[in-house]
Amino acid sequence: MRVTVKLFARLREIAGSDTLVRDLADGATVSDVWRELAADFPALRAFDTTVSGAVNAEYARMTRDVADGDEVAFLPPVSGGA
């Protein structure tokens, strides 16, 4: 199956792109997508415990299954504000 991956902020900078396409085995989860990205871009591993995921513009647990054609987004932790 094929998914589109969107990356934001520092994650985008590490990967050098805000949008990537990945082919995955059926039954893949958000976590599987993240692990594949981290294998290609090892600096992403620094965010393993803090990254948030979303599927089709809705926040999702890392254990959520993804389907062919889904958009999977990853967001680093955000801080700041007053």
Side-chain angles (χ1 to χ4, degrees):
M1 88 177 120
R2 180 170 282 189
V3 299
T4 301
V5 180
K6 301 293 269 183
L7 300 171
F8 295 90
R10 181 73 182 121
L11 307 179
R12 174 185 61 227
E13 293 171 9
I14 291 169
S17 179
D18 64 348
T19 305
L20 303 167
V21 175
R22 288 290 185 260
D23 292 314
L24 305 161
D26 289 342
T29 64
V30 174
S31 181
D32 294 327
V33 178
W34 178 254
R35 282 195 300 267
E36 183 173 310
L37 290 176
D40 290 344
F41 305 100
L44 291 176
R45 291 186 184 129
F47 296 91
D48 281 351
T49 61
T50 59
V51 71
S52 295
V55 177
N56 300 324
E58 293 185 16
Y59 280 103
R61 294 185 185 272
M62 297 298 272
T63 56
R64 178 173 170 177
D65 290 340
V66 295
D68 187 52
D70 279 351
E71 179 183 89
V72 180
F74 293 105
L75 304 97
V78 179
S79 64

